[in-house]
Amino acid sequence: MGRPHAVKWRKKQGKKRKLEETLASTSGEEEEEELEDNEQRAVEEEEKDGDKEAAADEIAGLPVVARPIHGSKKEKGVIFVLEKACLEVGKVGKNFQILNSDDHSNYLRKQNRNPADYRPDIIHQALLAIFDSPLTKAGRLQAVYVRTEKGVLFEIKPHVRMPRTFKRFCGLMSQLLQKLSITAVGKREKMLNVIKNPVSHHLPVDSRRIGLSHSSEKSVNLVDFVANASEDSTLVFVVGAMAHGMIDKENLDDFVSICKDPLSAACCLNRICSALEQKYNI
């Protein structure tokens, strides 16, 4: 009578052993698959980190445009000086930002400041008007100098590619005013650089400084005025880049008006570039 019980016990033990072996093999395969998945995720994360680092390196520098090739004769260039640009850095929350009337109106009112005076978009549009012009693309732009409302003076090289979006432009200006210079992508050449005042120390000896304001009593036809300018002198145009007010007339050779109505800085610069393009047959 003992043998049937022994046979049943052996069969149960055999089934139990097979079930354990099956479960062990299944868990082993799952572990291997899990390891493979983890390895794949690690590789993908490394690739993403590499892409992010590459993008960060690209943002860190400023792109440049190809410089035009000229013949043996060196051509006279034009210089722009943009005065009283509203570029002020403020600490908003945990970050330093260029203050503007749209995004920081409450912050400015708390400090008893008028938000209408904080218009960095004016200098952004003005710079795009210069750097997008055929005059610049033809290689006739010699330099651009910008002086902020606080008196900080910086130079912009003529072969810089300015940021198209306002947000990216503000980020660039904030970086410049904190680090004092910005280099080109993959190079050590400084594309934007804070320099010492006054701007007259950085202008050529043969420069002719021309200030523009609708309040000037001397009204001129800009095309004729530029056409009659001497070829031996470097023309330096001084334009205001602020919402209200006028530029300082000191240290100017000419102070003229090109329109009876006030013009935006970008519109004024477009007219100047157009007149110069006619003069140089661009």
Side-chain angles (χ1 to χ4, degrees):
M1 293 296 291
R3 287 181 182 177
H5 289 291
V7 171
K8 286 181 182 179
W9 182 82
R10 289 194 196 97
K11 285 181 179 180
K12 284 182 182 179
Q13 290 297 320
K15 288 179 181 179
K16 189 177 179 181
R17 202 176 294 114
K18 285 181 181 179
L19 183 61
E20 288 176 353
E21 288 175 358
T22 304
L23 290 172
S25 63
T26 306
S27 62
E29 289 174 0
E30 288 176 355
E31 287 176 0
E32 288 178 3
E33 289 177 0
E34 190 175 348
L35 286 170
E36 289 176 359
D37 291 341
N38 290 337
E39 288 176 1
Q40 184 65 27
R41 285 195 206 100
V43 170
E44 289 175 358
E45 286 176 3
E46 285 179 4
E47 289 176 354
K48 285 180 183 177
D49 292 340
D51 293 340
K52 286 178 182 177
E53 288 176 4
D57 291 340
E58 202 170 317
I59 292 170
L62 195 63
V64 298
V65 295
R67 305 185 193 189
I69 300 172
H70 300 293
S72 58
K73 184 181 177 182
K74 189 176 180 181
E75 298 172 328
K76 283 284 182 182
V78 61
I79 297 174
F80 291 100
V81 179
L82 305 179
E83 289 280 1
K84 297 186 178 181
C86 187
L87 292 170
E88 184 176 340
V89 179
K91 190 174 183 181
V92 183
K94 295 181 180 180
N95 301 320
F96 287 96
Q97 301 175 18
I98 294 291
L99 300 175
N100 69 81
S101 57
D102 291 332
D103 299 328
H104 309 112
S105 57
N106 293 333
Y107 172 86
L108 293 167
R109 288 193 187 97
K110 286 179 182 177
Q111 297 191 357
N112 296 320
R113 302 188 198 180
N114 184 9
D117 294 334
Y118 290 81
R119 295 284 309 280
D121 57 295
I122 295 175
I123 184 65
H124 182 220
Q125 293 168 9
L127 291 172
L128 287 178
I130 294 171
F131 285 95
D132 285 350
S133 67
L135 180 78
T136 299
K137 293 175 182 178
R140 287 286 191 166
L141 179 64
Q142 189 168 326
V144 176
Y145 297 97
V146 178
R147 181 156 40 204
T148 70
E149 187 70 39
K150 296 290 185 181
V152 179
L153 179 67
F154 61 89
E155 178 186 8
I156 306 176
K157 294 295 176 65
H159 45 280
V160 165
R161 183 176 293 164
M162 294 304 299
R164 312 299 303 176
T165 64
F166 179 64
K167 184 177 180 180
R168 191 173 176 83
F169 172 77
C170 287
L172 181 72
M173 291 296 107
S174 177
Q175 183 183 352
L176 171 65
L177 295 175
Q178 292 178 75
K179 295 185 176 180
L180 305 183
S181 67
I182 296 177
T183 57
V185 174
K187 299 179 182 178
R188 293 185 179 179
E189 183 182 4
K190 293 180 179 179
M191 295 289 98
L192 288 85
N193 188 30
V194 175
I195 55 179
K196 290 183 179 180
N197 281 294
V199 70
S200 56
H201 290 177
H202 307 280
L203 299 177
V205 178
D206 64 346
S207 61
R208 181 184 176 188
R209 289 162 287 189
I210 305 162
L212 284 83
S213 174
H214 82 284
S215 61
S216 173
E217 297 178 356
K218 184 180 178 181
S219 180
V220 299
N221 181 301
L222 186 60
V223 175
D224 295 338
F225 180 80
V226 169
N228 295 329
S230 173
E231 294 286 347
D232 297 328
S233 61
T234 301
L235 297 179
V236 179
F237 290 94
V238 183
V239 178
M242 61 288 191
H244 308 286
M246 60 182 292
I247 60 174
D248 192 355
K249 293 188 286 186
E250 292 183 11
N251 301 319
L252 294 177
D253 300 312
D254 276 308
F255 188 62
V256 301
S257 170
I258 61 173
C259 183
K260 62 180 180 179
D261 299 315
L263 299 177
S264 67
C267 181
C268 185
L269 291 162
N270 278 326
R271 287 196 173 192
I272 295 170
C273 291
S274 179
L276 290 166
E277 286 156 16
Q278 290 184 49
K279 177 182 176 67
Y280 298 135
N281 296 318
I282 297 172

